[in-house]
Each structure stands twice: as structure tokens, then as C-alpha cells.
Amino acid sequence: MWYHTKATELLGIQYPILQGPFGGNLSSVELVATVSNYGGLGGYGAYTLSPQEIVDVNNQIKMATDKPYNINLWVSDTDAPENGITDTQFEETKKVFQPYFDEVGIPFPEKPLPFQSRFENQMEVILDIRPKVFSFMFGVPSVSILEECRKRGIITIGAATTLDEALFIEAAGVDMIIASGFEAGGHRPSFLAKAESSTTGSFVLLQLIKEKVKVPVIAAGGIANGSGVAAALALGASAAQVGTAFLATEESNALPIHKKMLFSDAAKYTTLSRAYTGRLGRGITSKIAQEMVGRENLNLPFPLQTTFMSSLRKAALEQEKWDMILFWGGQIAPILKHTKTATLMQSLIEETTAYFDNLKE
């Protein structure tokens, strides 16, 4: 059967369908559990959580499903200097963004405080709670961390946006690799070069990586239905990761307006922008994203830009100024159909099965 792959065997799941692990409070226990209970692999993006919050979420997931699931962290969770940014740098950013704060009628925020990485403390918790799967972005954990994962029976999955990154991940001893194509919504998890250079589409990237690595490869980006899953498998993927389609379901923790936008005509137009977080990410095109093209050097480093923009986002939501918000979403959003996770999973399974059955006729 089409769903008997190296990935399903390694992950202990029935179907080679992974739910993208959304960070920034967009994941939910219900979403993860529903995907896992239907035979896929649910994923929870935990990079913004404290160690105790990760423990709490993990306990909730275990109560909701006895199936495998994935917890995701960011290896590199800051681009900011240890001592923070200079006053001069902040003033330069202020000149550019002041009109947007004026438009929503709120005071300009204070300079963000320095940010201390949380990854090491978060990683200690991952090793303690031992999820079946630990996936990561923006780099690769140390050899000692990966060795500890192996000892504890934790399957590791790294994200690559280029062939070079995939080779780097394989050399580190990771179990599986996600080929994250240019079409995908959310952040570009590049780590060897600037994210702007990771412009390869999902299915080209999948074939490049599949040709050069021995570990199973997961296709991600631009997959939202059974035809996409089937195409990924036909090109050599061992599994497919679906992001935007799950983000749009009732069970995700995205705001109702975010989900509404993903099903609207606005979803036809997406933009890669650093204006909202300081790192390059794809979302539905916004006024700020458009106007900041070519001025990326004036954004603050991640995650200080996120902190800096939070009050603007809050005010824009309250005032329903949707064009000032970058709602995360991939290029595939215009074909979305399902608002419930269970229905989406059933559809992915049925459509993929039908595709491969038709090939036999």
C-alpha cells in the first residue's frame, strides 16, 4: 500500500502525513491529537514556550492521544547581539515604522530588551519527557544532544531549505529530513545562508535531496490535498508535511480572522517578509510587507522585531485593519476546502488512496 513507507515504519504511524508544527501559539493540543489519532503525526511548535509550559503541553497531548506525536523547537532562537541593539539602530527602525504606529494611534514602543536563548533549557525538557519525535528548525543540535535523543529512543527530524543544509543535517546523524520548499507558509528555516537564497520549490528540492541522502525525506510546502501527498510520494518522499491546510482548521489555535483570511480571495497573494519578526516568513500580503521590500536592513533582529511589532499587531486586530497584519499562510491556500481537522485527514487519506488505486486500473 502507498502508506507503507520508511517514514511510517520509523515513526510508528499508519499514514505518511505530518501536520506542520506551528510556533507562535498557533498549535493546539486538539489539533495534534486529532491528526495523530487519525494515523498521521501531529506536531506542536514549542519554541516560544518555557520549559514548564512544554511539560504541561506534553502532558495534555498524552491525555488526548496514545499515538506518536512531534514536538518542535528552534535550535537558533535569536539573531540579536547578546547585549541587545544600539540606540542608533533602534532610531533608524523607528523612522521607518513610526507612520504605522501613528496610523493605529498608539505610542511608539520602547527599545526591546536583550533576549536570552531558551533552547538549551527547552532541550533538557525534551530529553526528559521523551516525545516519540523531536523536530527542529534553524540549525542542528549538538552531537551530544542528538546522541542523547538516540539513547532515549527519540526520532529526530531536521528542516532543510537547500541541498547543502540537507547534507549538513544528514552528516550530523539526524533520522529524517524535511525538504522545506519556497511555497511554504511561515518562516523559512534556513541556517547555512540567508533565507532569501532558499528559493527552490518543494518538488525540485525534494528530488535534489532524495538523490543525495540516504535517510528518509519528508516533502513540505505547497501540499494541501491527496494529489499533493501522492505527488510527493511519487517523487521519492517518504512522507508529506501539510501546514497551511491544518492551520486553517477549527482545531488550530490561529485567530478566527486568520482562518477567515486563509479562505478569502486575499489568500491568492502571499509575500515573504522580515518586517514582522526579523526573520523571513511567508504570509498573506500586507501593506507593511509590501512597503518594506528592499528595506530589510531596517528591521530589528529576530525576535526583537517580534517584540517591537506586538503592540502594532494588537492595535491593528482591535481596529480590524487587516492589511497591516501578516497572516501566515502558504501559496497553496486558495485551494483549501476543509475547516475540520478530522475531515481534512479523511480527505487526504481517501484522495491519496484513490490516486494510487486509479494507477492500477
Side-chain angles (χ1 to χ4, degrees):
M1 296 295 290
W2 64 267
Y3 46 84
H4 293 153
T5 71
K6 289 181 180 178
T8 56
E9 181 182 347
L10 193 59
L11 298 172
I13 59 178
Q14 186 174 2
Y15 300 106
I17 298 170
L18 282 64
Q19 171 240 316
F22 314 121
N25 199 38
L26 295 174
S27 291
S28 78
V29 170
E30 187 179 6
L31 175 60
V32 173
T34 303
V35 173
S36 290
N37 286 335
Y38 270 85
L41 186 77
Y44 199 103
Y47 84 90
T48 59
L49 303 186
S50 69
Q52 185 57 52
E53 287 171 334
I54 294 174
V55 171
D56 294 343
V57 162
N58 185 66
N59 289 337
Q60 292 170 36
I61 296 173
K62 286 199 295 186
M63 290 178 64
T65 183
D66 60 357
K67 300 292 195 298
Y69 56 88
N70 163 38
I71 294 183
N72 177 272
L73 293 178
W74 292 15
V75 178
S76 168
D77 58 0
T78 178
D79 301 326
E82 191 172 327
N83 295 325
I85 54 171
T86 65
D87 290 341
T88 301
Q89 186 177 2
F90 185 62
E91 286 303 315
E92 288 298 312
T93 301
K94 182 176 181 178
K95 290 177 186 175
V96 177
F97 283 90
Q98 182 72 63
Y100 303 123
F101 285 85
D102 291 343
E103 184 172 339
V104 296
I106 61 172
F108 205 83
E110 297 293 320
K111 186 176 75 170
L113 296 172
F115 179 86
Q116 300 300 317
S117 174
R118 294 173 287 201
F119 177 71
E120 287 188 13
N121 292 334
Q122 292 171 326
M123 196 64 235
E124 288 179 10
V125 170
I126 295 295
L127 294 174
D128 285 342
I129 62 178
R130 302 187 186 190
K132 174 72 174 182
V133 183
F134 164 54
S135 70
F136 47 85
M137 301 161 56
F138 291 109
V140 181
S142 66
V143 172
S144 61
I145 287 176
L146 293 174
E147 181 60 30
E148 283 299 320
C149 287
R150 276 189 289 275
K151 287 179 181 177
R152 294 160 196 250
I154 302 170
I155 303 299
T156 53
I157 304 178
T161 64
T162 64
L163 176 57
D164 286 343
E165 289 177 350
L167 294 172
F168 188 97
I169 292 169
E170 183 183 44
V174 174
D175 294 309
M176 304 177 73
I177 297 171
I178 293 174
S180 181
F182 184 65
E183 305 94 328
H187 286 96
R188 301 291 300 139
S190 306
F191 62 94
L192 289 183
K194 281 180 69 74
E196 282 80 359
S197 66
S198 66
T199 56
T200 307
S202 300
F203 287 162
V204 172
L205 182 64
L206 165 63
Q207 292 175 85
L208 293 176
I209 294 175
K210 175 65 179 172
E211 184 77 15
K212 299 295 183 180
V213 305
K214 293 182 173 60
V215 299
V217 182
I218 301 160
I223 302 172
N225 56 25
S227 296
V229 174
L233 296 176
L235 289 173
S238 198
Q241 181 168 285
V242 177
T244 302
F246 281 118
L247 184 63
T249 62
E250 292 177 7
E251 290 79 6
S252 94
N253 206 36
L255 294 172
I257 182 58
H258 190 160
K259 298 170 188 178
K260 184 177 180 180
M261 292 293 285
L262 288 172
F263 283 106
S264 74
D265 285 343
K268 292 188 293 184
Y269 310 102
T270 63
T271 302
L272 283 164
S273 177
R274 290 181 180 269
Y276 290 83
T277 68
R279 282 187 177 172
L280 194 68
R282 184 179 296 282
I284 297 173
T285 301
S286 73
K287 178 173 70 170
I288 298 175
Q290 286 181 312
E291 293 176 355
M292 286 301 295
V293 171
R295 297 195 286 178
E296 287 78 13
N297 61 313
L298 296 172
N299 297 313
L300 300 182
F302 178 89
L304 304 188
Q305 182 76 7
T306 308
T307 304
F308 159 68
M309 292 289 282
S310 61
S311 62
L312 177 63
R313 183 177 186 276
K314 182 174 182 291
L317 285 169
E318 290 172 351
Q319 298 173 30
E320 300 187 358
K321 293 182 181 291
W322 313 135
D323 66 335
M324 297 187 75
I325 301 165
L326 190 74
F327 293 104
W328 300 119
Q331 291 181 334
I332 200 68
I335 75 164
L336 299 184
K337 295 181 176 64
H338 303 290
T339 59
K340 291 186 178 296
T341 301
T343 308
L344 173 57
M345 275 298 295
Q346 289 170 337
S347 176
L348 290 168
I349 295 164
E350 290 169 2
E351 289 174 5
T352 310
T353 299
Y355 178 86
F356 284 107
D357 284 349
N358 288 339
L359 291 181
K360 299 173 186 177
E361 295 177 358

